Amino acid sequence: MSYQTQPTLPGHPQLTMIEEARSRLEQRFLDGGAVLLSVLDILNKMIASLDALTGSLDEETAAATMDELAATISVLSGMTARQADRQARLKDIALCERVLRPHVATMQETLRYLRTFAVTAKITGAGIADFAGFAEEILQRIQEGAQQVNNFSDRLAALGAGLGPVMAKGETTLARYGQQVPKIVDSLNGGITQIRSQRQDLAARASQVRSIARGIQGKLASTLSAMQIGDITRQRLEHCQSSFAILEDYLGSADADHLNADNRQKLTSLIRHLVANQLAQSRHDFDRDTTLIVETVSSFTSELAQIAAIQQAMTGEDDDRSAGAMRNLEAGVAEARRAVGEIELVARAAGEMTERTLSTVQALLEGIGVVQIVRGDIHYMALNTNLRCGKIGEEGRAINVVTAELRIFAGRLDEVADQILDELKGLQGTTEQLLADADGASAQPEGDTLDARLARAIDRIHAVADAMESDLERIAEEGQGGIRQMNAALLKLDFQADLGDTLRLCAEEFAIDGEDLSLEGLEEAIAVVGPQINRLYTMASERELHARILGTAAPVEPPLMVLSDDDLDDALF
């Protein structure tokens, strides 16, 4: 016969009290287990939300954003130096222009003298055959040379006139760079520091919450384990009910016919005493273990308060470490982008003016060939004049007086031309360096301007700020709501309320006071009833108490068999 059901026996109305205690105990612990599992679920959601938050500013996104800002800083930092170099080279060009100016004026003056002498030579040799045509050729060459030098002078004047605005604009640009670039660089450097700090702070705070949450999870696990006391106590109540059922069956069977009324009462009192002691021991164990459960659960309060405080700090609008910090960073980088946009406009304007200057300089460089031709022509004219005069003889002496002066001024022209060539070579070197600097500055890939870099950084920061705000909002909702749910749920875990008193009343109800509890005359009955009740037990403490009250030896627990690896292999395969 099975005694795992718990009938309410008419002869023992106290069993109704045990059944009520068993039912309430079972329901309370089922509810308690559900509460603890719900708390565990809330903690898991909280940790998942934290993982999402820390993932908002993941390492890859943070690194890409900081790289964009660092690259922008590098270019910005170089802009001031490049502008200063450009100004220095423009000053070198301006100095060269000022040095060239008197040389060109000397060349122009020399050419005027040469023209005068050529006209005089033409007049002097007017009567000499073939010389008039030759003199006319000289005049034409001098006139062409003068025109070329005048053109050179005009270009040089244009260079001088153009350099002024370019250099003035350059000084303004350099001054603006000096005022704005350091501020922008500091702002962007601060942004890099802020991103790094943001990641570290989020990670630190999330780690704090995870640590606390995992601590609670660990305690919850131990609490769930400790809640076995509910199942143990329920089983022991069932054993007590089944003990009376066994007694009733025995007293109603033929095996009990030999017992008189007194012995029947003694046997009933003895089993009742056994049940009372089992109930008392169960209540003691129940009180002990549930007290530990309640103490453990009570310790959650301070830990949940710590989580709430950390979450509040993470979602605080005025906190520099909240999502608002990312919005501030976004605004700061956007402001830097506007300033950089102005700087790039200024840089482009200065670059255009520089290109115009370079174009003028290039024309002067091309004029080197013109100066060389003029100088060659003068030497050619001087040589041919000497030859012609030698052939003419006595008639050429008058012309030789004029051509002597022509040769002198031709020599001066040669000297001035060499000086101009030397200066133009220096101008060429400076201009080529300026061109190289301009080409280097514009060599960045298409779409990789300062503005484009900052635009990409702003897009990333904006996306991160959006994600963080969403995650923080969810954390605020889930966190505060979850903590309220946990606090409310944990209040339901007072297992001692009602249950402890009910178990105590059950034990008191079955207590025997002043009755004969001797085993005399009951040996045969106990030999039948005792083993049946003993087979109900699942705990050693039950069997030990049973043996002490009914006078039987405590059962010997079989030794624990330790299986070898071979035994496990045989069992599994």
Side-chain angles (χ1 to χ4, degrees):
M1 178 180 292
S2 173
Y3 296 100
Q4 294 308 309
T5 58
Q6 294 77 38
T8 302
L9 301 177
H12 297 281
Q14 295 89 347
L15 290 178
T16 301
M17 182 181 293
I18 294 179
E19 174 60 20
E20 181 182 353
R22 189 198 65 79
S23 299
R24 290 171 63 184
L25 178 74
E26 185 174 32
Q27 188 59 49
R28 181 70 64 84
F29 273 82
L30 285 174
D31 293 343
V35 166
L36 292 179
L37 290 175
S38 69
V39 171
L40 196 60
D41 184 57
I42 292 170
L43 288 172
N44 288 334
K45 288 181 179 179
M46 188 179 295
I47 292 175
S49 296
L50 287 171
D51 290 338
L53 175 61
T54 53
S56 297
L57 195 58
D58 62 276
E59 185 174 354
E60 182 177 349
T61 300
T65 305
M66 288 189 289
D67 286 346
E68 292 287 2
L69 296 180
T72 304
I73 288 170
S74 177
V75 175
L76 276 172
S77 299
M79 287 180 75
T80 302
R82 285 196 298 274
Q83 182 60 31
D85 288 344
R86 176 159 50 187
Q87 283 297 104
R89 302 196 192 288
L90 288 173
K91 288 179 181 179
D92 289 341
I93 292 174
L95 177 61
C96 184
E97 183 269 339
R98 288 195 298 272
V99 172
L100 279 171
R101 204 179 299 163
H103 293 325
V104 173
T106 300
M107 181 175 279
Q108 288 174 319
E109 183 180 5
T110 302
L111 285 167
R112 284 195 297 270
Y113 280 117
L114 285 171
R115 186 176 183 281
T116 300
F117 292 131
V119 170
T120 303
K122 181 179 180 180
I123 295 171
T124 304
I128 301 173
D130 296 331
F131 191 80
F134 177 71
E136 185 63 35
E137 182 182 354
I138 292 174
L139 279 172
Q140 185 179 350
R141 293 289 183 89
I142 291 173
Q143 185 64 36
E144 290 175 357
Q147 183 61 47
Q148 294 293 338
V149 172
N150 287 338
N151 290 340
F152 186 92
S153 178
D154 290 342
R155 292 192 189 101
L156 190 63
L159 174 62
L163 279 173
V166 173
M167 293 175 66
K169 191 70 174 179
E171 289 296 334
T172 302
T173 302
L174 191 58
R176 178 174 293 186
Y177 285 0
Q179 292 174 353
Q180 292 184 333
V181 169
K183 293 179 182 178
I184 298 173
V185 169
D186 287 345
S187 174
L188 297 181
N189 274 322
I192 293 175
T193 302
Q194 197 168 1
I195 291 174
R196 187 176 292 113
S197 174
Q198 187 84 355
R199 291 189 68 247
Q200 292 173 347
D201 183 70
L202 279 176
R205 294 192 182 198
S207 178
Q208 285 180 298
V209 174
R210 286 194 197 95
S211 178
I212 297 171
R214 288 190 178 117
I216 296 176
Q217 287 175 325
K219 290 182 179 181
L220 281 173
S222 64
T223 301
L224 285 168
S225 177
M227 284 180 66
Q228 291 180 8
I229 187 61
D231 189 54
I232 291 171
T233 305
R234 176 188 58 76
Q235 289 182 35
R236 295 189 73 169
L237 291 176
E238 292 173 355
H239 298 164
C240 290
Q241 291 173 302
S242 297
S243 295
F244 278 108
I246 291 172
L247 173 63
E248 286 294 328
D249 286 348
Y250 175 73
L251 292 177
S253 69
D255 293 337
D257 290 345
H258 69 282
L259 294 176
N260 57 32
D262 289 340
N263 283 337
R264 283 174 174 269
Q265 181 59 42
K266 282 180 60 178
L267 181 60
T268 300
S269 296
L270 187 63
I271 298 303
R272 182 169 178 168
H273 178 61
L274 172 65
V275 168
N277 278 271
Q278 293 284 11
L279 289 172
Q281 189 180 72
S282 296
R283 180 185 66 82
H284 175 270
D285 294 345
F286 180 84
D287 287 348
R288 180 196 62 213
D289 289 359
T290 53
T291 297
L292 293 175
I293 292 174
V294 171
E295 289 176 354
T296 301
V297 169
S298 298
S299 70
F300 293 171
T301 304
S302 62
E303 293 165 329
L304 292 176
Q306 291 178 42
I307 291 177
I310 295 172
Q311 288 181 332
Q312 183 64 34
M314 293 175 77
T315 57
E317 294 182 357
D318 297 330
D319 195 332
D320 289 339
R321 294 165 289 186
S322 70
M326 293 305 292
R327 290 301 184 196
N328 292 337
L329 175 59
E330 181 184 357
V333 176
E335 180 63 29
R337 185 186 177 191
R338 285 190 288 273
V340 164
E342 295 176 2
I343 285 176
E344 288 194 316
L345 285 175
V346 171
R348 280 196 293 271
E352 291 170 0
M353 296 183 73
T354 301
E355 288 177 3
R356 291 195 293 271
T357 300
L358 294 175
S359 177
T360 302
V361 171
Q362 193 64 37
L364 288 175
L365 292 174
E366 292 171 359
I368 292 175
V370 174
V371 173
Q372 290 172 328
I373 291 171
V374 171
R375 184 184 65 177
D377 286 347
I378 296 301
H379 282 289
Y380 170 76
M381 287 185 293
L383 177 61
N384 277 283
T385 301
N386 288 330
L387 293 174
R388 289 293 181 94
C389 289
K391 288 180 180 180
I392 293 172
E394 190 64 29
E395 292 179 351
R397 289 181 181 179
I399 298 174
N400 266 331
V401 175
V402 178
T403 56
E405 293 295 327
L406 186 65
R407 287 196 301 273
I408 292 171
F409 280 96
R412 291 181 182 177
L413 184 63
D414 192 44
E415 292 175 1
V416 175
D418 285 340
Q419 291 173 344
I420 291 175
L421 284 173
D422 288 341
E423 291 297 331
L424 283 177
K425 289 177 181 177
L427 179 62
Q428 183 180 25
T430 302
T431 306
E432 288 175 349
Q433 187 61 55
L434 189 60
L435 281 169
D437 292 345
D439 291 341
S442 61
Q444 58 188 4
E446 186 177 354
D448 201 29
T449 62
L450 290 175
D451 183 76
R453 286 192 178 112
L454 289 179
R456 288 194 294 268
I458 290 173
D459 287 343
R460 289 193 183 94
I461 294 170
H462 181 77
V464 167
D466 283 349
M468 286 181 64
E469 285 181 350
S470 176
D471 292 335
L472 286 170
E473 183 177 349
R474 183 172 65 255
I475 284 177
E477 293 175 358
E478 292 180 355
Q480 296 301 318
I483 288 173
R484 284 194 298 271
Q485 292 175 26
M486 284 189 282
N487 284 328
L490 294 175
L491 290 176
K492 301 176 183 178
L493 293 181
D494 187 0
F495 298 107
Q496 289 184 328
D498 297 335
L499 288 178
D501 292 338
T502 300
L503 292 174
R504 179 181 56 79
L505 290 174
C506 285
E508 291 175 353
E509 184 66 26
F510 283 92
I512 300 297
D513 185 17
E515 294 190 23
D516 183 8
L517 298 177
S518 67
L519 303 180
E520 186 178 353
L522 301 177
E523 292 82 359
E524 186 178 341
I526 291 174
V528 175
V529 173
Q532 293 182 44
I533 295 176
N534 197 36
R535 282 194 291 272
L536 298 172
Y537 302 139
T538 55
M539 298 183 63
S541 58
E542 290 180 290
R543 291 189 285 271
E544 290 171 357
L545 184 60
H546 178 95
R548 188 166 65 250
I549 291 175
L550 295 186
T552 60
V556 178
E557 293 291 336
L560 181 64
M561 180 180 293
V562 179
L563 296 178
S564 67
D565 291 340
D566 292 337
D567 294 328
L568 289 174
D569 291 339
D570 292 339
L572 293 173
F573 301 102

